[in-house]
Amino acid sequence: MNFRLLKTLMKEQLFPALAAFGIALVVLLVSCMVFAGNTAIEHRIQIWIYGCEPLDFFLPLLASLPFSFTLYYKKADGFLHYSSTRMSRKRYVAHHMLAGFLLCMAGIALTYFCGLLFSEYILPFEATPGYQSGLESYVFGGLMVSHPVAFGLVWCLWKGFNAGLFTLFGYGLALYAENVFIVSIAPFVYFVAENLITSLLQIPEYSVVTSIQLNRLSPNSMHVYNYFAGTISFVIIAVVIVLALSRREKSRYEVKAHKKQAVEKG
């Protein structure tokens, strides 16, 4: 592991990441303020839970847009070819992807955690008289009520981890796709399409949306493993897609090589 290179690559991607996370934080704080004043609430943490929903929808876009284009243009400009003179191309790409993964995970976790602290300690709060939310009946509901900040920190790290996976997916597409626009929005398109398909098939508990959105389904429909099922299925499908694109790229390269040899022999 080349930590100096990893640090350099994180610095390269820092500015677009900070810009994206800054906008996301503003959106999250405004969303929490809106829900705090217009929604029936029993516990403070519910302000944050409801406030996260708009940002959760755009999480894959937030995780891919500031990062994937950097690797795409390095490939398009031939930089990856020249970098291979100092270290292998695979090793350089691995460092680039790890840098983006760590940066995205930390940025997303910090953004959501700032929203939690804002909801818990800054926003005015008054429980809606007579309203019973049933929050305790959800998976981890007891922790949400008794230790909201500690639970929220763990949940923010989990969201950050999932966001980092979308960053890696975008990087994988950047290596083989030919359009930067497709590379940037493909993770978000997958997110929306997968949510639609699992809803139509009536299996939303296995959606990656359920994995990152707290208390998305009713308590009777949720189990602990559902928070992992969507993430695991996403990783499997993303790997299959990237491998398929890699194989297509390799086939195209071999065809070009054969044509070039045929021309030289002719």
Side-chain angles (χ1 to χ4, degrees):
M1 178 68 68
N2 190 328
F3 291 101
R4 180 176 296 180
L5 175 61
L6 189 65
K7 183 179 179 181
T8 300
L9 292 171
M10 292 182 73
K11 287 182 177 180
E12 285 182 2
Q13 304 175 82
L14 185 59
F15 179 75
L18 288 177
F21 297 149
I23 295 173
L25 179 58
V26 172
V27 171
L28 178 58
L29 297 183
V30 172
S31 178
C32 289
M33 291 173 64
V34 171
F35 278 101
N38 298 277
T39 307
I41 293 173
E42 183 182 7
H43 304 283
R44 264 190 177 275
I45 194 173
Q46 290 177 291
I47 299 174
W48 178 68
I49 294 173
Y50 297 145
C52 288
E53 292 179 2
L55 191 60
D56 288 343
F57 180 75
F58 294 101
L59 184 60
L61 191 63
L62 185 63
S64 63
L65 193 58
F67 299 100
S68 55
F69 79 92
T70 59
L71 188 58
Y72 174 85
Y73 282 115
K74 284 186 177 182
K75 180 202 70 172
D77 295 341
F79 180 85
L80 295 181
H81 173 74
Y82 293 113
S83 68
S84 62
T85 59
R86 290 171 293 176
M87 67 168 56
S88 69
R89 181 177 184 269
K90 288 184 178 180
R91 189 181 178 195
Y92 181 87
V93 170
H95 277 76
H96 189 103
M97 296 174 74
L98 178 59
F101 174 84
L102 295 175
L103 192 58
C104 179
M105 180 176 176
I108 291 294
L110 184 60
T111 298
Y112 276 99
F113 191 64
C114 286
L116 175 62
L117 296 179
F118 180 71
S119 301
E120 284 290 323
Y121 299 115
I122 298 178
L123 280 179
F125 168 72
E126 184 176 347
T128 305
Y131 176 68
Q132 298 292 326
S133 62
L135 182 61
E136 296 87 347
S137 60
Y138 284 89
V139 177
F140 307 125
L143 291 174
M144 296 180 213
V145 174
S146 59
H147 301 90
V149 175
F151 170 81
L153 176 60
V154 175
W155 188 254
C156 289
L157 291 172
W158 171 245
K159 283 196 179 189
F161 174 77
N162 279 272
L165 294 178
F166 278 103
T167 301
L168 294 180
F169 183 35
Y171 282 145
L173 297 174
L175 291 173
Y176 305 110
E178 300 176 353
N179 187 299
V180 67
F181 179 73
I182 293 176
V183 168
S184 299
I185 69 167
F188 176 67
V189 173
Y190 169 88
F191 185 78
V192 175
E194 190 251 28
N195 182 37
L196 176 62
I197 292 172
T198 53
S199 296
L200 291 175
L201 295 176
Q202 298 184 357
I203 50 172
E205 61 270 22
Y206 297 104
S207 170
V208 68
V209 182
T210 304
S211 295
I212 65 173
Q213 192 172 96
L214 194 59
N215 301 346
R216 181 193 179 207
L217 306 178
S218 65
N220 293 333
S221 302
M222 283 300 299
H223 304 279
V224 174
Y225 68 82
N226 290 131
Y227 285 119
F228 302 96
T231 299
I232 294 171
S233 64
F234 163 66
V235 170
I236 294 173
I237 295 172
V239 169
V240 170
I241 291 174
V242 172
L243 288 177
L245 291 174
S246 173
R247 185 170 183 178
R248 188 192 69 168
E249 182 78 6
K250 183 178 180 180
S251 299
R252 292 174 61 182
Y253 177 80
E254 290 175 349
V255 169
K256 289 181 180 180
H258 290 157
K259 288 183 177 179
K260 184 178 180 180
Q261 291 176 359
V263 170
E264 290 175 350
K265 290 180 179 181

